[in-house]
């Protein structure tokens, strides 16, 4: 069966139709959980396992706010293995290389299912090699919130790494040795999982305005260490010094300027990639020179945005996850640095998710095709190397969605006739900025009108591909295997593409 | 035996090793093998033909170098082989 983008998908799934098809549907909500009794404090994970009666076939969820420093996922997985529990589905908002110990548990079928928004490192490789028994499901950040609240993703137990817990069982990411800042991605798990366990290494008397309210919490488990807060720093939070990257960033800002998007009261989101960070630097300079103040910036928040907040260049930060410790500190100290949940951020069925209020978003791409579809899930051989995260959510919500990318990465042209895997549909991608020219989606005649009157190097996407081929040669066609190992679920719950076993 | 080496294993570069040999042998191991292996081998053949070298053993470990980089590394490695005193 093929979906509307012509991508082959599993039988008996809902095929992707279009990025606004969700408007024809109504929001589905399962009952929120409530705990009948007060929170029970436990001293070990073993006690928790006894009380929770964890058994074969359950779905266990985690968040990724401690990123590559998380210790809770591995601890729970190790305990599952020790107890001989099988057939577990792991619903983690993301998985990182430090979760490598899960590979053995996938191979011995302790873990047979994974639902996540982003995955790289050894687990991604093992899944690509076909070791996961059930199909891998890759959601978006907003789509995961939708999946949980609708019951499409039913969670039996949420193990929530919580940097600080108070004596009533409220939790926060603000305090403690593993403080990571906002913990927005776990809010749906908190509200809809059948059982909720806060895993912590820091107790405090009283938390004012906790992100995790005790009314949803069943157990609190004290362990030695939930993580290493240095590990929450994203790998890519440095402004690029590469001249090609800086040219792309400069041209991106020229486009923003030409479209009059940098004006008083604007809103923006950018990723944590080196080029995106350079874009923010240039935008910031324009704001200072022209005395412009932004209304808000959203997303994963970096120290760069904290500087803008503290210098009164932006009114408010809506933060679903802190990319560095400076952001975590700002969230703790600044009332204008506001935590939002995954649902408030990007769930299509929220009345006003933050992404819908964005004037522009700057995103990356592993591949872009002639239909402007973007892949950030696999490399060109089909190996999983990431996932949507908020890519599809912001691309749909923002008024202007720009992709910044080198035209070639290690000889490989980024522009392809067809992407290896569709993460974000082309209808939501407006402008591609490369060092060799800027392509505008033909659907956006308004942008073409405005930008063709400037001196910017506007070309067609076909031209960009030809330029890439001229430099690198036309790449041989690479046929993926025909053995599906999972699928990419668009934010509305429809299936946008299939993932295949690597050869 | 005479040997020449040029290049590096940095991204977008390649490491070329050339040895004197009775026959022509070209081995390419590239991160873009799936897309460009044959084109890289053919390009190396054409560069060697241009400078009339057909009795060499060429090994290239490629990290996504473009043709002009491959050519530069190849010619430098050839030159180094010719002046080597091994």
């Amino acid at each position: 069966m093929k979906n509307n983008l012509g991508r082959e998908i599993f039988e008996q799934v809902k095929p992707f139709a279009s990025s606004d098809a969700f408007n024809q549907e109504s929001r589905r909500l399962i009952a929120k959980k409530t705990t009948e009794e007060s929170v029970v404090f436990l001293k070990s994970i073993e006690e928790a396992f006894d009380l929770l009666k964890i058994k074969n076939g359950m779905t266990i969820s985690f968040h990724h706010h401690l990123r590559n420093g998380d210790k809770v996922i591995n601890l729970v997985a190790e305990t599952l293995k020790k107890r001989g529990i099988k057939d577990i589905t792991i619903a983690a908002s993301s998985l990182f290389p430090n979760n490598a110990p899960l590979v053995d548990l996938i191979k011995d079928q302790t873990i047979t299912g994974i639902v996540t928004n982003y995955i790289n490192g050894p687990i991604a490789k093992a899944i690509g090699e076909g070791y996961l028994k059930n199909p891998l499901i890759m959601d978006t950040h907003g789509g995961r919130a939708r999946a949980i609240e609708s019951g499409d993703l039913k969670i039996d137990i949420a193990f929530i790494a919580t940097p600080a817990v108070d004596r009533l069982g409220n939790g926060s990411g603000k305090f403690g040795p593993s403080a990571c800042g906002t913990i927005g991605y776990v809010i749906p798990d908190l509200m809809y999982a059948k059982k909720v366990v806060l895993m912590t290494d820091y107790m405090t008397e009283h938390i004012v305005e906790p992100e995790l309210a005790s009314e949803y919490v069943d157990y609190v488990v004290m362990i030695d260490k939930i993580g290493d807060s240095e590990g929450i720093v994203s790998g890519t939070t440095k402004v690029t010094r590469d001249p090609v990257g800086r040219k792309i960033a400069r041209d991106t800002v020229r486009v923003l300027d030409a479209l009059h998007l940098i004006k008083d009261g604007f809103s923006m989101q950018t990723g944590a990639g080196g080029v995106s960070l350079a874009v923010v630097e240039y935008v910031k300079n324009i704001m200072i020179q022209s005395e412009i103040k932004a209304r808000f910036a959203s997303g994963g928040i970096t120290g760069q945005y904290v500087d803008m907040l503290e210098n009164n260049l932006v009114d408010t930060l809506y933060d679903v996850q802190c990319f560095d410790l400076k952001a975590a500190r700002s969230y703790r100290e600044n009332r204008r640095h506001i935590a939002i949940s995954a649902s408030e951020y990007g769930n299509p069925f929220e009345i006003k998710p933050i992404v819908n209020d964005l004037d522009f978003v700057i995103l990356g791409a592993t591949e872009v095709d002639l239909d402007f579809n973007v892949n950030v899930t696999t490399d060109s051989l089909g190996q999983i190397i990431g996932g949507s995260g908020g890519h599809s959510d912001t691309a749909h919500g923002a008024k202007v969605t720009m992709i910044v990318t080198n035209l070639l990465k290690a000889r490989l042209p980024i522009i392809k006739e067809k992407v290896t895997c569709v993460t974000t549909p082309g209808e939501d991608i407006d402008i591609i900025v490369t060092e060799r020219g800027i392509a505008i989606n033909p659907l956006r005649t308004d942008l073409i009108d405005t930008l063709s009157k400037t001196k910017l190097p506007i070309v067609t996407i076909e031209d960009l591909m030809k330029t890439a081929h001229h430099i690198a040669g036309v790449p041989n066609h690479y046929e993926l295997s025909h053995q599906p190992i999972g699928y990419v679920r668009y934010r509305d719950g429809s299936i946008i593409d299939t993932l295949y076993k690597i050869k | 035996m005479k040997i020449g080496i040029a290049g590096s294993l940095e991204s977008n570069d390649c490491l070329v090793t050339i040895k004197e040999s009775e026959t022509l042998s070209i081995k390419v191991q590239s991160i873009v093998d799936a897309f460009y292996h044959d084109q890289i081998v053919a390009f190396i053949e054409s560069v060697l033909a241009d400078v009339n070298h057909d009795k060499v053993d060429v090994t290239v470990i490629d990290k996504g170098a473009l043709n002009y980089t491959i050519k530069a590394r190849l010619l430098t490695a050839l030159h180094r082989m010719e002046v080597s005193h091994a």
Side-chain angles (χ1 to χ4, degrees):
Chain A
M1 178 166 71
K2 280 186 175 167
N3 67 17
N4 235 359
L5 298 176
R7 312 297 296 201
E8 198 64 50
I9 56 168
F10 284 66
E11 299 297 328
Q12 270 131 29
V13 295
K14 179 174 144 192
F16 172 84
S18 73
S19 70
D20 56 6
F22 69 88
N23 287 323
Q24 313 302 318
E25 291 177 50
S26 50
R27 189 173 190 173
R28 288 180 290 133
L29 292 171
I30 57 172
K32 275 187 199 172
K33 86 179 288 279
T34 44
T35 50
E36 306 93 54
E37 291 151 40
S38 59
V39 179
V40 179
F41 288 78
L42 305 172
K43 287 196 177 60
S44 75
I45 188 159
E46 298 291 347
E47 271 184 275
F49 266 60
D50 290 340
L51 289 165
L52 289 162
K53 301 186 179 64
I54 298 183
K55 57 175 195 282
N56 295 359
M58 280 187 161
T59 296
I60 296 180
S61 88
F62 303 94
H63 69 71
H64 72 281
H65 289 280
L66 297 169
R67 300 178 71 89
N68 212 28
D70 182 273
K71 292 187 190 295
V72 169
I73 297 177
N74 292 353
L75 176 65
V76 171
E78 196 180 291
T79 313
L80 288 170
K81 163 92 178 167
K82 204 158 72 185
R83 296 197 166 213
I85 297 164
K86 295 282 175 187
D87 205 17
I88 293 294
T89 294
I90 299 290
S93 50
S94 297
L95 290 164
F96 288 103
N98 73 318
N99 301 123
L102 269 61
V103 170
D104 285 342
L105 280 69
I106 290 168
K107 289 183 178 170
D108 73 10
Q109 301 202 351
T110 302
I111 296 167
T112 51
I114 292 182
V115 185
T116 190
N117 312 344
Y118 181 97
I119 180 169
N120 68 19
I123 300 176
K125 186 165 176 289
I127 296 171
E129 288 164 356
Y131 286 106
L132 187 68
K133 188 181 164 204
N134 299 322
L136 168 72
I137 303 175
M138 301 284 297
D139 277 314
T140 74
H141 283 331
R144 181 175 187 273
R146 178 212 59 80
I148 293 171
E149 70 174 26
S150 67
D152 285 359
L153 174 54
K154 287 193 185 69
I155 298 169
D156 291 299
I157 304 159
F159 283 99
I160 303 180
T162 312
V165 175
D166 73 12
R167 65 188 169 82
L168 296 174
N170 296 296
S172 175
K174 283 178 183 165
F175 315 106
S178 303
C180 60
T182 63
I183 39 181
Y185 293 131
V186 82
I187 304 302
D189 310 51
L190 175 78
M191 295 197 297
Y192 293 101
K194 286 179 199 141
K195 293 284 176 190
V196 169
V197 184
L198 304 190
M199 305 287 290
T200 192
D201 54 13
Y202 180 77
M203 291 295 300
T204 183
E205 174 63 17
H206 180 77
I207 295 169
V208 181
E209 297 171 13
E211 298 93 76
L212 309 177
S214 63
E215 63 186 280
Y216 299 109
V217 178
D218 297 282
Y219 302 107
V220 173
V221 180
M222 274 299 277
I223 57 173
D224 285 347
K225 212 164 169 20
I226 60 165
D228 166 13
S229 65
E230 293 293 330
I232 75 167
V233 177
S234 170
T236 53
T237 52
K238 282 207 173 77
V239 178
T240 186
R241 300 174 69 116
D242 168 34
V244 174
R246 293 193 79 92
K247 175 178 164 47
I248 295 167
R250 271 197 308 277
D251 281 355
T252 303
V253 176
R254 286 171 67 202
V255 170
L256 294 172
D257 213 15
L259 294 172
H260 304 293
L261 286 168
I262 307 170
K263 58 169 193 270
D264 236 17
F266 78 99
S267 56
M268 70 189 285
Q269 180 170 332
T270 55
V275 176
S276 286
L277 295 174
V279 169
V280 178
E281 280 304 312
Y282 293 136
V283 169
K284 191 168 138 188
N285 292 342
I286 292 177
M287 292 169 76
I288 293 168
Q289 274 163 24
S290 311
E291 294 182 29
I292 290 166
K293 184 172 175 178
R295 188 158 61 90
F296 76 84
S298 62
I301 294 295
T302 59
Q304 222 181 4
Y305 281 112
V306 171
D307 288 339
M308 288 170 72
L309 182 70
E310 291 174 354
N311 289 303
N312 213 25
L313 290 168
V314 58
D315 182 81
T316 297
L317 300 181
Y318 291 116
D319 188 348
V320 68
Q321 79 168 320
C322 297
F323 274 138
D324 53 38
L325 297 180
K326 190 169 175 177
R329 191 261 303 152
S330 166
Y331 166 59
R332 185 166 59 240
E333 295 172 355
N334 197 323
R335 300 290 287 182
R336 306 306 316 154
H337 190 145
I338 297 169
I340 54 171
S341 72
S343 196
E344 291 163 334
Y345 172 57
N347 180 351
F349 292 101
E350 281 280 336
I351 294 162
K352 279 188 176 174
I354 295 292
V355 295
N356 285 14
D357 211 6
L358 282 167
D359 288 328
F360 65 89
V361 63
I362 312 288
L363 297 167
T366 310
E367 298 175 333
V368 185
D369 69 21
L370 298 181
D371 297 321
F372 286 77
N373 297 311
V374 170
N375 175 16
V376 290
T377 305
T378 72
D379 66 15
S380 297
L381 299 172
Q383 175 59 55
I384 300 154
I385 51 158
S388 174
H391 200 285
S392 313
D393 301 311
T394 52
H396 182 72
K399 288 179 194 74
V400 177
T401 298
M402 293 174 70
I403 301 292
V404 293
T405 179
N406 290 36
L407 186 62
L408 305 154
K409 286 178 192 162
R411 189 164 188 152
L412 277 185
I414 299 305
I415 316 288
K416 309 198 39 163
E417 246 168 84
K418 293 277 174 206
V419 285
T420 307
C421 174
V422 180
T423 311
T424 297
E427 64 186 295
D428 284 345
I429 303 296
D430 300 317
I431 302 174
I432 317 287
V433 184
T434 76
E435 74 279 20
R436 299 272 179 168
I438 298 165
I440 306 167
N441 191 328
L443 295 172
R444 292 301 300 263
T445 48
D446 56 329
L447 302 179
I448 294 172
D449 278 353
T450 309
L451 293 174
S452 56
K453 288 174 193 136
T454 66
K455 287 181 179 164
L456 287 160
I458 308 293
V459 295
T460 64
I461 193 144
E462 288 81 6
D463 287 339
L464 280 185
M465 190 173 80
K466 271 182 218 151
T467 305
H469 289 176
H470 179 72
I471 295 166
V474 179
N476 298 338
H477 176 70
Y478 183 78
E479 183 88 15
L480 296 177
S481 83
H482 296 288
Q483 293 163 270
I485 50 130
Y487 48 86
V488 182
R489 183 157 67 182
Y490 189 62
R491 60 202 294 259
D492 65 358
S494 65
I495 303 310
I496 194 162
D497 212 342
T498 307
L499 297 161
Y500 298 94
K501 190 174 165 181
I502 51 165
K503 289 201 247 183
Chain B
M1 184 182 54
K2 288 187 169 184
I3 184 167
I5 299 173
S8 77
L9 295 175
E10 296 291 318
S11 188
N12 301 305
D13 200 353
C14 60
L15 185 67
V16 176
T17 307
I18 300 187
K19 295 174 195 158
E20 265 188 335
S21 165
E22 292 302 307
T23 54
L24 177 65
S25 155
I26 299 171
K27 282 193 215 74
V28 173
Q29 185 199 333
S30 168
I31 57 166
V32 292
D33 269 338
F35 304 97
Y36 289 107
H37 182 87
D38 306 344
Q39 293 181 49
I40 294 170
V41 172
F43 179 72
I44 292 168
E45 281 169 357
S46 74
V47 173
L48 292 174
D50 283 350
V51 292
N52 298 315
H53 266 284
D54 57 359
K55 291 192 173 162
V56 282
D57 181 320
V58 181
T59 306
V60 176
I61 302 170
D62 173 49
K63 300 289 178 185
L66 292 169
N67 280 357
Y68 54 71
T69 308
I70 296 171
K71 183 174 181 179
R73 297 309 192 193
L74 206 54
L75 295 179
T76 305
L78 271 174
H79 175 73
R80 286 176 181 165
M81 178 187 78
E82 279 161 358
V83 301
S84 74
H85 302 284

